[in-house]
Amino acid sequence: MATKKEDTKSREGSPVTAHHQRQNLFEVVTAQLHKAYDAIKLESDIAAILSQPKNELIIHFPVRLKSGEVRMFKGYRVQHNNILGPYKGGVRYHQDVYLDECKALASWMTWKCALAKLPYGGGKGGVKFDPRQYDADDLERITRRFTHALGTNIGPEYDIPAPDMGTNSQTMDWMMDTYVNINSSVDRQGLKRVVTGKSIACGGSQGREAATGQGVVYCIQEWAHAKRFNLDGSTLAVQGYGNVGSNAARILSRMGVTLTAVGDHTGYYRNPEGFNPHKLADHVKRQRSLDGYPGGQKISREEFFASEVDIFVPAALELQIGSDEAKEIRAKVVVEGANGPTDTDGDRVLAERGIDIIPDILANSGGVIVSYYEWLQNKRSESWEADEVVSRLERRMRRNYQAVVDKARDLKVDYRTASYAIALERLRDVYRARGIWP
Ligand code: NAD
């Protein structure tokens, strides 16, 4: 596989991100890991192996757009580790996708899958473009051409993509269809599990669409139970109203949690009476953003972070909570729906201020857990009922949450470090048993 080192710089601030320069995402995950290495005294040779991805692929591919114009696109796939099973992780469409972001996100998938006891490793990829600038025809052409360019670098027992920011079940259906058609095989059904997060009609699982938001909610319930905090009547702020943010807000509303602040790439809004999370989601589906939603007062990004709420769910981009934002947050708990939303300074400031953090690799693992169920159903030619999927997810999420609580108590560390510690111990056991070949 081609290995190329470049564009490792972090994302610049934009009017809707913070003003200061962001940290490099791969440095953030590395710093987080080092705390866990120390906590469990991980052997230096295993730490060295886990410190870099196995493969980093960058592909430039041409696409003939509907207009007839041919445009070059830049795609990425990073495969971090596969000792526990095939690489697994999302595909992101965003104009700021860069290599170190994919490296960090791929490594987070390794820890997330190990923590959740899934038979998967970690991978992540994307295409550097703004999907909002393209219609469905062109998105299909870009997706199919990217899948073709990935070729045998993905596979149902090798590397299994899924949706992430800017992609959805339709993207996965196109990826699956392209992969099945270019890899002619008598086992066309078996190849369908090359991606998860497909539509139900194409072999997707019941419950996958809402799974990440649902998992976020189980974590919030566990936290509330331990703190003897009554969710009924509490308030919520959500950054990013896409798949994760909107599903979390909708499910929480059934428990009496009111969404009073929300924001996306177009701006931030407040409504002390509470937004209707379903109507808000319908608006975003139609308009592709929160922009123009009636029934909320426009506020600044700074005011959004300072919202007087009980629960704060970052569910947009990474590196949104630096020290400036962490000083302003008034919530009792930050539940990381997004991957890597808190940088190292933000983490420290939240801890100093006594604000709890439920870390990404635990909080947003519901998506990959149900992706695993989809992959299993495809493998066995089964189709599970929605309630079966949800009850399996619930059992697993609550068990994982409790394992993190126990580990944090045993090691006297925060939940993030405890989550990494569990994942690293699982990986260490395998490396110790198998050794390093030759
Ligand atoms: P999505 O594309 O459905 O939604 C992303 C949201 O973030 C949108 O509302 C968008 O407007 C907002 N956003 C983008 N740029 C922004 C900016 N600069 N400022 C404020 N808001 C901005 O994506 P998603 O699938 O909901 O993913 C959101 C996060 O959750 C990502 O970090 C992703 O990696 C993570 N995640 C997703 C899943 C999943 O199953 N979809 C699973 C685990 C983790």
Side-chain angles (χ1 to χ4, degrees):
M1 175 175 280
T3 301
K4 193 169 165 187
K5 183 88 179 141
E6 59 103 85
D7 76 347
T8 53
K9 67 180 186 312
S10 59
R11 179 174 295 141
E12 303 273 319
S14 78
V16 282
T17 59
H19 302 300
H20 58 269
Q21 182 67 31
R22 294 277 161 203
Q23 276 183 283
N24 175 297
L25 201 62
F26 194 61
E27 287 167 9
V28 173
V29 64
T30 302
Q32 293 174 349
L33 269 171
H34 274 94
K35 280 172 85 173
Y37 291 167
D38 293 345
I40 64 164
K41 301 185 176 48
L42 186 70
E43 296 86 331
S44 59
D45 54 350
I46 298 176
I49 292 169
L50 294 171
S51 69
Q52 290 292 333
K54 289 184 98 167
N55 302 309
E56 300 170 21
L57 179 69
I58 297 180
I59 324 164
H60 296 266
F61 57 96
V63 179
R64 186 181 299 282
L65 301 172
K66 200 171 58 175
S67 63
E69 180 200 348
V70 173
R71 197 172 288 178
M72 291 300 291
F73 288 82
K74 186 172 190 172
Y76 300 81
R77 190 73 189 167
V78 173
Q79 296 166 334
H80 178 262
N81 187 277
N82 64 348
I83 195 122
L84 296 178
Y87 304 108
K88 183 92 192 78
V91 170
R92 176 173 290 194
Y93 288 173
H94 194 278
Q95 59 277 17
D96 294 335
V97 168
Y98 65 105
L99 183 62
D100 272 15
E101 173 183 70
C102 293
K103 284 171 62 175
L105 292 166
S107 107
W108 270 314
M109 287 306 295
T110 299
W111 323 124
K112 197 182 298 182
C113 293
L115 171 62
K117 271 196 178 163
L118 301 176
Y120 290 140
K124 201 83 180 195
V127 183
K128 193 183 187 77
F129 79 111
D130 181 0
R132 291 188 185 83
Q133 305 297 324
Y134 295 83
D135 66 10
D137 273 1
D138 280 341
L139 289 174
E140 178 174 354
R141 287 162 202 253
I142 295 163
T143 302
R144 288 190 183 277
R145 201 61 179 72
F146 178 50
T147 310
H148 179 265
L150 285 169
T152 53
N153 289 298
I154 56 172
E157 299 290 338
Y158 178 61
D159 183 353
I160 307 149
D164 189 71
M165 255 179 50
T167 57
N168 54 28
S169 59
Q170 175 64 82
T171 325
M172 294 304 114
D173 291 349
W174 290 327
M175 281 192 88
M176 178 273 285
D177 185 71
T178 309
Y179 183 85
V180 168
N181 277 296
I182 61 178
N183 291 282
S184 73
S185 156
V186 284
D187 185 23
R188 287 171 75 86
Q189 289 308 315
L191 295 185
K192 278 164 87 174
R193 64 180 199 282
V194 64
V195 292
T196 58
K198 301 179 289 290
S199 67
I200 304 282
C202 291
S205 176
Q206 298 287 345
R208 173 61 184 89
E209 189 88 10
T212 308
Q214 179 75 67
V216 164
V217 174
Y218 291 137
C219 290
I220 292 171
Q221 284 183 311
E222 289 294 308
W223 170 87
H225 181 73
K227 296 275 167 183
R228 300 180 199 285
F229 176 81
N230 191 359
L231 286 175
D232 194 1
S234 65
T235 52
L236 167 74
V238 175
Q239 188 199 29
Y241 211 70
N243 175 296
V244 180
S246 68
N247 280 303
R250 282 187 285 194
I251 298 166
L252 282 168
S253 74
R254 289 185 223 137
M255 297 162 193
V257 181
T258 307
L259 178 70
T260 56
V262 67
D264 74 357
H265 67 287
T266 59
Y268 292 90
Y269 303 85
R270 170 183 297 152
N271 183 346
E273 305 301 314
F275 292 96
N276 179 323
H278 305 280
K279 285 189 180 160
L280 205 56
D282 291 343
H283 176 88
V284 170
K285 210 163 216 154
R286 276 195 313 273
Q287 306 293 330
R288 297 171 98 179
S289 77
L290 291 169
D291 193 30
Y293 184 75
Q297 177 204 345
K298 192 135 191 170
I299 53 173
S300 68
R301 185 178 186 280
E302 289 73 21
E303 288 171 312
F304 170 77
F305 277 91
S307 297
E308 199 71 66
V309 289
D310 299 307
I311 303 160
F312 189 95
V313 177
L317 291 175
E318 55 272 0
L319 302 182
Q320 293 300 301
I321 306 176
S323 59
D324 292 351
E325 292 82 5
K327 282 178 197 152
E328 295 303 322
I329 288 177
R330 304 191 193 177
K332 297 176 178 63
V333 61
V334 171
V335 192
E336 296 184 332
N339 287 305
T342 314
D343 75 13
T344 27
D345 295 335
D347 221 27
R348 182 180 38 76
V349 173
L350 288 177
E352 282 166 6
R353 297 186 55 223
I355 296 172
D356 293 335
I357 304 175
I358 304 178
D360 44 13
I361 59 171
L362 172 64
N364 69 33
S365 60
V368 71
I369 290 172
V370 176
S371 272
Y372 169 57
Y373 297 156
E374 176 177 335
W375 185 81
L376 264 190
Q377 289 170 74
N378 292 167
K379 200 167 165 132
R380 300 174 180 169
S381 299
E382 289 177 359
S383 170
W384 302 351
E385 300 290 336
D387 54 0
E388 182 174 355
V389 174
V390 173
S391 67
R392 281 180 187 245
L393 172 65
E394 175 170 4
R395 255 199 324 275
R396 205 181 264 258
M397 287 292 310
R398 294 196 194 282
R399 198 176 57 211
N400 295 345
Y401 190 98
Q402 284 313 318
V404 170
V405 171
D406 293 346
K407 183 62 76 179
R409 193 189 45 237
D410 293 350
L411 295 178
K412 299 188 178 54
V413 293
D414 55 50
Y415 285 2
R416 191 186 307 285
T417 307
S419 300
Y420 281 115
I422 294 172
L424 287 167
E425 283 172 350
R426 287 189 181 141
L427 287 152
R428 170 168 70 185
D429 289 348
V430 182
Y431 276 109
R432 271 186 184 162
R434 289 176 60 160
I436 309 295
W437 187 88

